[in-house]
């Protein structure tokens, strides 16, 4: 296959897989049709079936990853829009972000030891609970592999989305702030999407928490790495 | 739908799409500028976070109206998943490693998520009750 057709094919299956899964989910609403799960599976299947060499696939779609940088900046808008909520609950949000970030880091570190994961994986999973643009930036400070980090971040989102319902009932996590912060801190974007099912306030709180834990992770990563790696 | 109605709808759709793209491009430009600034000043903070801070300041000072970037930002954030699909797909090259450690990694993820969800939820529940108490006390004082 020529370079041009490989490049076009890679891009087309990525866009079709993603927007197809998105449309299917909005029609069906089943949890397994969530784009976070279905889109990567569809695209992996297409890459394997069409026999696209992985290095070429990555080469031709890599420019999409560059949009994570501008996406980080775009987070300024939701922060600005929800400034009233931030002014109303500064203590709760600050404590929640700190608790979420530290619990995420320390639990990851301890569980890597407990499950005896090799260093290549161990260094890549420390940032698992923050949103991808931040995680991809911070993971290098811990010596992580960006591709593994991207996958683990994605899976953390899925796991958090599925676990939150029973856990909130079991742990009697009832206030909308607690549910929102917990979802944003543990399951980032997927958690924020899930939080929308609980209510508008939960959703706003979850996205704010996701953004703040992400920023704190990126800024703190060089320091955390001194202790954890 | 008549033909002219279809045309109008197509036109507004195209107009909205080009506006979104234009705004997203402006955000990309800001990202590039922030990145260049970080390199130039050798700042220890990544360009994305610097750009976020700058944009937040511009919005707060009302130098940039929220509406001017709303559509572009909504697209960048709404389709965030699309932008990290390439590295996720590239994980196939670690197939052997995932086959070997996949079950343990799943255990790791579940245990970690349980810790963060329950722990953070608990902390915030307590903090929220405390802070709501403060609000009520303040409101009571005013009466």
């Amino acid at each position: 296959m020529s370079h041009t057709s490989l490049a076009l094919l890679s891009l087309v299956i990525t866009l079709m897989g993603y927007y197809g899964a998105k449309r299917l989910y909005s029609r069906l609403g089943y949890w397994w049709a969530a784009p976070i799960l279905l889109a990567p599976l569809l695209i992996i299947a297409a890459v394997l079936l069409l026999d696209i060499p992985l290095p070429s696939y990555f080469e031709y779609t890599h420019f999409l990853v560059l949009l994570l940088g501008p996406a980080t900046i775009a987070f300024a808008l939701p922060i600005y829009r929800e400034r009233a909520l931030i002014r109303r609950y500064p203590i709760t949000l600050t404590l929640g972000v700190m608790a979420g970030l530290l619990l995420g880091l320390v639990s990851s570190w301890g569980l890597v030891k407990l499950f005896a994961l090799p260093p290549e994986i161990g260094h890549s999973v420390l940032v698992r609970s923050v949103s991808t643009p931040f995680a991809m930036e911070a993971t290098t400070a811990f010596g992580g592999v960006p591709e593994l980090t991207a996958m683990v971040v994605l899976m953390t989102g899925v796991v958090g989305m599925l676990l939150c319902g029973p856990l909130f009932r079991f742990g009697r996590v009832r206030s909308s702030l607690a549910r929102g912060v917990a979802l944003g801190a543990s399951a980032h974007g997927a958690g924020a999407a899930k939080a929308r099912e609980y209510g508008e306030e939960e959703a706003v709180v979850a996205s704010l928490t996701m953004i703040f834990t992400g920023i704190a992770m990126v800024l703190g990563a060089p320091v955390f790495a001194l202790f954890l790696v | 739908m008549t033909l002219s109605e279809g045309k109008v709808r197509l036109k507004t759709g195209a107009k909205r799409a080009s506006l979104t793209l234009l705004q997203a491009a402006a955000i990309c430009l800001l990202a590039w500028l922030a990145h260049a600034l970080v390199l130039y000043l050798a700042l220890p903070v990544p360009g994305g976070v610097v750009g976020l801070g700058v944009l937040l300041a511009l919005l707060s000072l009302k130098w940039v109206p929220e509406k001017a970037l709303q559509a572009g930002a909504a697209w960048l954030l709404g389709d965030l998943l699309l932008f990290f699909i390439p590295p996720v797909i590239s994980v196939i090259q670690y197939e052997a490693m995932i086959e070997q450690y996949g079950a343990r990694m799943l255990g790791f993820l579940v245990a970690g998520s349980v810790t963060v969800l329950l722990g953070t939820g608990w902390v915030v529940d307590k903090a929220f009750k405390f802070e709501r108490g403060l609000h009520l006390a303040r409101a009571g004082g005013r009466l």
Side-chain angles (χ1 to χ4, degrees):
Chain A
M1 239 188 290
S2 74
H3 287 293
T4 334
S5 55
L6 259 182
L8 263 176
L9 200 60
S10 304
L11 196 60
V12 165
I13 59 168
T14 306
L15 292 176
M16 272 178 61
Y18 172 72
Y19 284 107
K22 207 173 163 180
R23 172 160 271 189
L24 199 69
Y25 182 62
S26 69
R27 288 248 175 101
L28 299 175
Y30 300 127
W31 68 267
W32 53 261
I36 193 171
L37 209 61
L38 195 59
L41 289 179
L42 283 176
I43 297 164
I44 287 180
V47 167
L48 294 177
L49 278 175
L50 297 169
D51 220 5
I52 302 174
L54 206 56
S56 328
Y57 174 82
F58 197 60
E59 189 189 334
Y60 298 126
T61 53
H62 186 71
F63 74 94
L64 285 171
V65 185
L66 298 177
L67 287 169
L68 286 175
T72 313
I73 295 183
F75 279 127
L77 274 100
I79 298 181
Y80 177 71
R81 203 179 315 128
E82 304 305 337
R83 58 196 182 282
L85 190 92
I86 300 173
R87 282 204 203 107
R88 188 160 167 77
Y89 296 110
I91 304 174
T92 310
L93 288 174
T94 310
L95 283 176
V97 166
M98 278 167 55
L101 184 70
L102 291 178
L103 278 171
L105 267 173
V106 172
S107 69
S108 296
W109 181 80
L111 287 164
V112 163
K113 304 261 175 250
L114 188 73
F115 285 95
L117 293 170
E120 202 176 2
I121 298 180
H123 293 162
S124 308
V125 299
L126 290 170
V127 294
R128 69 183 167 79
S129 39
V130 303
S131 181
T132 321
F134 302 108
M136 298 285 267
E137 182 78 51
T139 196
T140 46
F142 298 103
V145 182
E147 288 84 15
L148 284 175
T149 301
M151 187 200 63
V152 171
V153 168
L154 184 114
M155 287 182 63
T156 304
V158 176
V159 168
M161 238 169 87
L162 297 179
L163 287 181
C164 68
L167 277 179
F168 286 163
R169 276 194 297 277
F170 166 78
R172 301 200 180 146
V173 178
R174 291 206 182 107
S175 65
S176 56
L177 250 77
R179 288 180 166 180
V181 171
L183 272 167
S186 79
H188 49 87
K194 178 80 190 170
R196 186 143 284 128
E197 289 174 20
Y198 287 108
E200 196 45 45
E201 192 174 39
E202 281 88 340
V204 169
V205 169
S207 5
L208 283 177
T209 309
M210 160 183 97
I211 301 165
F212 289 134
T213 43
I215 296 173
M217 177 67 94
V218 168
L219 294 180
V223 181
F224 301 138
L226 295 177
F227 295 96
L228 299 177
V229 176
Chain B
M1 186 168 54
T2 65
L3 196 62
S4 62
E5 267 175 342
K7 256 187 199 160
V8 167
R9 194 182 280 184
L10 203 66
K11 237 183 188 168
T12 50
K15 206 173 160 190
R16 201 178 306 140
S18 50
L19 192 69
T20 305
L21 272 181
L22 202 67
Q23 295 185 358
I27 298 175
C28 290
L29 182 69
L30 184 62
W32 180 76
L33 285 174
H35 186 69
L37 183 77
V38 164
L39 283 183
Y40 182 70
L41 297 176
L43 297 176
V45 184
V49 176
V50 170
L52 194 164
V54 169
L55 184 54
L56 191 57
L58 291 174
L59 289 166
S60 305
L61 293 167
K62 313 259 180 216
W63 288 6
V64 171
E66 199 185 340
K67 252 170 87 182
L69 294 175
Q70 184 56 52
W75 175 65
L76 282 171
L77 295 178
D79 283 340
L80 203 58
L81 175 60
L82 175 64
F83 309 144
F84 67 97
I85 278 183
V88 169
I89 303 303
S90 311
V91 152
I92 323 178
Q93 62 189 311
Y94 294 94
E95 201 188 338
M97 191 194 251
I98 292 165
E99 244 165 54
Q100 191 181 349
Y101 295 104
R104 278 195 240 172
M105 281 173 81
L106 203 62
F108 163 87
L109 284 175
V110 169
S113 292
V114 170
T115 313
V116 179
L117 278 168
L118 280 184
T120 313
W122 186 82
V123 168
V124 174
D125 244 349
K126 298 280 169 280
F128 173 61
K129 273 177 197 144
F130 172 74
E131 197 160 32
R132 196 178 47 183
L134 280 186
H135 286 311
L136 290 175
R138 210 174 299 154
R142 234 181 274 135
L143 279 174

